[in-house]
């Protein structure tokens, strides 16, 4: 992993030439390109096979770098001071003279921004004179990648460089909050809404019935491409069975998310487990009921979408 620090220079050369580079973050791996360039950002859509109407998150090193691109407000400052760098994405008003490529926002007047925590990615961002547009490094609608090898599995050698940051610490995508008008949670993620409410002194809730402007909001997403049944007590004999906690008696069809029901651990293992099951060529998946609190809410959100094939 350490040696990838030397790859940062290589990444910069490729990014300066408008190529895509996969980057590690604490949530999931990203497929990054120069957010100010039409040519570079178009490459992301092509590689991911992502429809153009789906806007991208832009990654910055620090606040000073984004004030030419979007308007910040008090709520932003409060949340930034508490959680950043970290797994929180802000949707803000785009400034008229911002240099952000129109492909990033699909022509919208808002911009999603984030300050990722990975040491390697922060070093890379610091070395660039543009921010990085970076959606998750997976083919559209498929499972997000949480290791360098996952990214390889998704794209083969179509990407010139994947920076290795080890396994993503959190393993689930960022929470997205819009601060354009009244604060609104657009996607459940790695930061619980209760923590956000504490900082903003609000009582925000997540509503499933929202306009689809966020790709992670579309019903069909995060999918292993295999039918999934949720809240299952007893699986069928040929189903891969995902359990919240390891059982005493091992069955080769069983995949457990935690040793002791820690939901953060479960979040971290979710995508890894789905990939493993896919590789083993199971034809269907059953999942035990996951407690719907804390990170369990985000896990259930992803499972619900993954189950809608
Ligand atoms: P991913 O593609 O997994 O990186 O997810 C990034 C999410 O950010 C997607 O769900 C995007 O649709 C969402 N996003 C990006 N820009 C905006 C924006 N301006 N308003 C709302 N959501 C956005
Ligand atoms: Mg994604």
């Amino acid at each position: 992993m350490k040696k990838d620090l030397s790859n940062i220079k290589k990444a910069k050369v490729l990014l300066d030439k408008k190529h895509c580079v996969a980057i590690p973050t604490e949530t999931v791996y990203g497929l990054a390109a120069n957010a100010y360039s039409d040519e570079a950002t178009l490459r992301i859509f092509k590689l991911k096979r992502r429809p153009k109407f789906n806007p991208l998150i832009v990654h910055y090193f620090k606040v000073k770098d984004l004030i030419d691109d979007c308007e910040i407000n008090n709520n932003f400052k409060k949340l930034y001071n508490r959680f950043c760098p970290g797994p929180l994405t802000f949707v803000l008003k785009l400034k008229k003279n911002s240099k952000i490529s129109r492909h990033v926002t699909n022509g919208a007047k808002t911009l999603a921004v984030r300050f990722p925590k990975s040491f390697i990615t922060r070093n890379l961002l610091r070395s660039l004179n543009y921010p990085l547009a970076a959606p998750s490094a997976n083919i559209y609608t498929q499972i997000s990648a949480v290791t360098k090898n996952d990214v390889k599995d998704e794209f083969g050698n179509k990407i010139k460089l994947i920076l290795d940051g080890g396994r993503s610490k959190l393993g689930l995508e960022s929470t997205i909050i819009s601060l354009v008008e009244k604060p609104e949670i657009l996607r459940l993620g790695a930061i619980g809404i209760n923590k956000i409410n504490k900082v903003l002194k609000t009582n925000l809730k997540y509503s499933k019935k929202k306009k689809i402007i966020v790709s992670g909001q579309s019903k069909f997403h995060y999918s292993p491409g295999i039918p999934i049944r949720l809240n299952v007590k007893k699986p069928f004999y040929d189903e891969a069975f995902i359990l919240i906690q390891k059982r005493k008696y091992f069955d080769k069809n069983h995949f457990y998310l935690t040793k002791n029901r820690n939901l953060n651990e479960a979040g971290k293992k979710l995508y890894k487990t789905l990939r493993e099951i896919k590789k083993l060529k199971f034809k269907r998946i059953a999942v035990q009921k996951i407690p719907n609190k804390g990170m369990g809410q985000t896990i259930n959100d992803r499972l619900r979408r993954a189950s809608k094939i």
Side-chain angles (χ1 to χ4, degrees):
M1 216 216 294
K2 272 224 171 95
K3 67 178 168 10
D4 261 48
L5 279 176
S6 60
N7 274 333
I8 290 176
K9 273 196 190 141
K10 211 163 138 192
K12 178 174 159 47
V13 172
L14 287 167
L15 290 164
D16 285 349
K17 287 187 184 156
K18 318 275 166 75
H19 288 293
C20 293
V21 169
I23 56 169
T25 85
E26 77 280 29
T27 57
V28 299
Y29 274 65
L31 184 61
N34 179 347
Y36 290 158
S37 158
D38 287 348
E39 183 189 340
T41 47
L42 273 177
R43 283 209 166 110
I44 295 178
F45 288 94
K46 207 168 159 202
L47 273 167
K48 262 190 75 106
R49 291 184 232 145
R50 174 172 173 125
K52 297 264 179 51
F53 60 77
N54 239 307
L56 307 176
I57 295 177
V58 177
H59 296 63
Y60 289 87
F61 179 60
K62 54 181 168 18
V63 178
K64 217 176 128 228
D65 302 331
L66 69 74
I67 46 188
D68 288 337
D69 292 330
C70 45
E71 286 170 21
I72 57 174
N73 52 35
N74 272 339
N75 283 334
F76 169 82
K77 285 182 200 159
K78 283 184 205 163
L79 292 169
Y80 177 88
N81 287 336
R82 172 70 179 78
F83 297 115
C84 296
L88 184 59
T89 296
F90 307 91
V91 175
L92 300 169
K93 246 188 218 155
L94 188 68
K95 280 193 177 164
K96 266 207 185 103
N97 47 4
S98 139
K99 285 189 275 183
I100 294 289
S101 160
R102 67 203 149 97
H103 299 303
V104 168
T105 57
N106 188 34
K109 297 195 167 41
T110 59
L111 180 67
V113 304
R114 184 163 111 71
F115 304 85
K117 205 170 188 176
S118 147
F119 179 69
I120 287 168
T121 293
R122 279 181 66 72
N123 272 284
L124 172 64
L125 284 168
R126 188 166 51 185
S127 75
L128 305 171
N129 53 9
Y130 46 83
L132 290 176
S136 53
N138 54 275
I139 303 293
Y140 184 60
T141 76
Q142 302 290 307
I143 312 168
S144 300
V146 292
T147 63
K148 179 178 176 174
N149 270 337
D150 292 348
V151 181
K152 251 192 214 156
D153 284 350
E154 289 290 309
F155 296 102
N157 50 14
K158 286 194 184 132
I159 303 180
K160 290 184 195 296
L161 180 65
I162 306 170
L163 287 177
D164 191 354
R167 180 172 296 281
S168 293
K169 265 218 172 84
L170 302 168
L172 288 172
E173 296 79 0
S174 59
T175 303
I176 304 184
I177 184 166
S178 169
L179 299 175
V180 175
E181 289 168 7
K182 268 195 197 154
E184 188 185 7
I185 303 292
L186 299 183
R187 175 173 79 183
L188 291 172
I191 291 186
I193 302 179
N194 54 341
K195 286 191 185 158
I196 292 175
N197 279 329
K198 260 193 196 149
V199 175
L200 295 184
K201 301 193 171 68
T202 48
N203 189 19
L204 305 176
K205 297 213 163 62
Y206 174 68
S207 151
K208 283 175 217 157
K209 294 189 194 91
K210 271 209 197 71
K211 296 173 263 166
I212 299 178
I213 44 170
V214 179
S215 80
Q217 274 181 2
S218 65
K219 277 190 194 148
F220 162 52
H221 214 98
Y222 312 110
S223 164
I226 307 166
I228 302 183
R229 295 192 303 134
L230 303 180
N231 302 326
V232 174
K233 285 192 179 139
K234 232 179 147 192
F236 297 120
Y237 72 97
D238 63 341
E239 270 177 328
F241 189 32
I242 300 181
L243 301 121
I244 180 71
Q245 186 174 17
K246 188 176 182 176
R247 280 188 184 165
K248 254 193 196 150
Y249 304 104
F250 178 76
D251 181 313
K252 67 177 177 8
N253 287 12
H254 285 184
F255 300 82
Y256 60 90
L257 295 178
T258 73
K259 286 202 179 104
N260 55 10
R261 300 180 79 83
N262 175 319
L263 291 170
N264 292 332
E265 187 190 341
K268 184 168 178 174
K269 264 185 97 178
L270 179 67
Y271 293 148
K272 175 179 188 254
T273 305
L274 289 174
R275 272 182 192 276
E276 199 180 332
I277 290 171
K278 192 175 176 179
K279 274 194 182 152
L280 290 168
K281 302 207 179 324
F282 278 93
K283 295 274 184 304
R284 43 186 185 163
I285 301 174
V287 188
Q288 212 181 26
K289 190 168 183 164
I290 310 284
N292 202 39
K293 53 178 190 197
M295 198 60 77
Q297 282 186 318
T298 303
I299 295 171
N300 282 325
D301 172 80
R302 302 301 191 263
L303 281 171
R304 253 192 320 269
R305 294 174 208 277
S307 69
K308 301 214 164 72
I309 291 197

